[in-house]
């Protein structure tokens, strides 16, 4: 059964070779990408999930999961507005790499920007995300404030509550905060960690009526590199299930560029990723404190 589902995984050649590619760095590193692809959604589902009808796929969610040789795993958000050199394009916001060159250009951009070798790739779109959450029976999240965002189809009260798939999709999409994307990425990290904890809990693993729909949902919702497998995703889930260090890659300020308001990397950014590239613990002064709407 495992090999059957593994054979149905969507795959893409994300980790291609290129001249001067960063060699192996300590630990294991995943690039996790969230896109707004509507592939697989019916017109009614698009309406129910408030996704709109845009064609193609763009990414506003870029995370690096760093599993060091020792110590706690890290889940690192790379803000979409980080202004970085993109091979063949000059400097732009980092999400331009995926939008113009797909996963291959995004992986190359991240590797050259951070100095960190990417070992695995996972991409998830709107299509199937809600089913993934519903398959595990929902995910409990505790909100510090009520959230209402008609553009994301979101209307949640403050306090602890179990989110279904549509509500979870709204939570990870909404930018209705004073700091917009910088708060959204915090909520995304917290939700991903909570989803991994639920998916690897006995209530799912020991219940075939939840386990098999979840695995099937993962197969439908997730695209991985051609060298990755279902057991690679399972290993990642177990690593991220128990309180990983979560943070946003630091910038050294913001600036208005040809791409609009942008985050400018600098010496702080370089120091942060240098620790990751050497497999060393990142000092506390380089980690961001959690904000967002999720406790």
């Amino acid at each position: 059964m495992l090999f059957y589902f593994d054979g149905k995984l969507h795959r893409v050649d994300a980790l291609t070779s290129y001249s001067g590619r960063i060699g192996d760095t300590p630990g294991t590193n995943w690039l996790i990408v969230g896109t707004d692809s509507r592939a697989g959604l019916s017109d009614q589902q698009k309406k129910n999930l408030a996704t709109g009808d845009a064609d193609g796929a763009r990414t506003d969610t870029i995370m690096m999961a760093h599993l060091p040789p020792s110590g706690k795993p890290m889940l690192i958000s790379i803000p979409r507005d980080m202004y970085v050199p993109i091979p063949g394009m000059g400097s732009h916001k980092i999400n331009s790499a995926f939008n113009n060159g797909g996963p291959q250009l995004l992986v190359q951009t991240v590797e050259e920007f951070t100095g960190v070798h990417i070992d695995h790739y996972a991409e998830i779109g709107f299509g199937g995300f809600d089913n993934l959450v519903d398959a595990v029976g929902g995910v409990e999240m505790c909100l510090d404030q009520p959230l209402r965002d008609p553009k994301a189809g979101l209307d949640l009260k403050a306090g602890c509550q179990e989110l279904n798939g549509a509500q979870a999709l709204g939570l990870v999409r909404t930018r209705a905060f004073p700091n917009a994307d910088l708060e959204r990425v915090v909520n995304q990290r917290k939700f991903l960690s909570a989803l991994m904890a639920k998916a690897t809990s006995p209530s799912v693993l020991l219940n075939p009526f939840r386990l098999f729909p979840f695995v099937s949902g993962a197969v439908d919702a997730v695209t991985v590199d051609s060298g990755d497998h279902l057991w690679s995703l399972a290993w990642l889930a177990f690593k991220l299930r128990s309180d990983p260090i979560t943070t946003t890659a630091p910038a050294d300020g913001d600036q208005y560029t040809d791409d609009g308001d942008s985050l400018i990397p600098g010496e702080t950014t370089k120091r942060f990723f240098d620790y990751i590239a050497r497999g060393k613990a990142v000092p506390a002064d380089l980690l961001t404190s959690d904000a967002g709407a999720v406790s």
Side-chain angles (χ1 to χ4, degrees):
M1 184 66 73
L2 180 63
F3 290 99
Y4 166 77
F5 281 118
D6 183 65
K8 291 172 67 88
L9 264 176
H10 304 290
R11 288 184 168 89
V12 64
D13 289 328
L15 306 180
T16 55
S17 180
Y18 57 86
S19 177
R21 186 181 181 193
I22 299 294
D24 284 342
T25 49
T28 301
N29 301 293
W30 283 77
L31 191 64
I32 304 172
V33 176
T35 79
D36 63 0
S37 171
R38 280 85 170 163
L41 291 179
S42 67
D43 288 342
Q44 186 60 49
Q45 286 174 312
K46 292 177 185 177
K47 181 179 179 181
N48 294 343
L49 298 173
T51 65
D53 290 307
D55 294 327
R58 289 152 292 276
T59 179
D60 283 335
T61 304
I62 304 169
M63 296 186 197
M64 180 187 293
H66 173 59
L67 313 179
S70 62
K72 298 180 71 169
M74 295 185 70
L75 195 56
I76 304 158
S77 295
I78 302 176
R80 68 170 190 167
D81 292 339
M82 191 75 81
Y83 197 71
V84 303
I86 299 176
M89 291 179 58
S91 290
H92 290 280
K93 291 183 178 183
I94 195 167
N95 65 341
S96 298
F98 184 93
N99 300 350
N100 288 277
Q104 297 89 351
L105 184 57
L106 178 61
V107 169
Q108 182 178 353
T109 299
V110 169
E111 288 186 331
E112 293 187 351
F113 164 57
T114 64
V116 175
H117 182 86
I118 301 299
D119 303 290
H120 302 275
Y121 176 85
E123 174 189 319
I124 185 165
F126 287 170
F129 178 87
D130 60 317
N131 291 333
L132 199 62
V133 176
D134 288 335
V136 297
V139 176
E140 184 177 73
M141 303 299 291
C142 295
L143 305 182
D144 293 334
Q145 63 192 69
L147 293 178
R148 188 173 186 276
D149 182 0
K151 292 181 179 180
L154 188 66
D155 189 3
L156 298 174
K157 62 185 180 181
C160 296
Q161 57 208 283
E162 198 156 87
L163 304 188
N164 61 30
Q167 292 168 325
L169 181 59
L171 175 65
V172 299
R173 288 178 58 205
T174 184
R175 300 171 64 238
F177 308 105
N179 288 329
D181 287 305
L182 292 180
E183 293 193 50
R184 175 169 66 169
V185 296
V186 175
N187 296 333
Q188 290 171 344
R189 292 195 304 265
K190 289 179 178 178
F191 182 81
L192 178 60
S193 183
L195 176 60
M196 295 300 95
K198 182 67 178 288
T200 55
S201 68
S203 67
V204 173
L205 295 180
L206 301 181
N207 184 346
F209 296 104
R210 285 189 174 172
L211 176 61
F212 289 117
F214 176 75
V215 174
S216 179
V219 166
D220 289 338
V222 178
T223 297
V224 296
D225 177 66
S226 55
D228 286 320
H229 297 278
L230 201 56
W231 43 92
S232 308
L233 290 170
W235 178 66
L236 175 65
F238 273 100
K239 287 290 187 178
L240 295 180
R241 68 185 303 268
S242 54
D243 194 29
I245 296 170
T246 67
T247 191
T248 300
D252 278 16
D254 57 86
Q255 181 179 315
Y256 194 85
T257 69
D258 290 341
D259 289 359
D261 288 328
S262 305
L263 294 171
I264 307 301
E267 185 59 31
T268 306
T269 319
K270 184 180 182 301
R271 285 180 56 221
F272 176 89
F273 281 114
D274 183 58
Y275 282 103
I276 302 295
R278 292 187 291 119
K280 303 296 184 182
V282 177
D285 67 299
L286 294 178
L287 302 176
T288 57
S289 59
D290 282 342
V294 180
S295 299

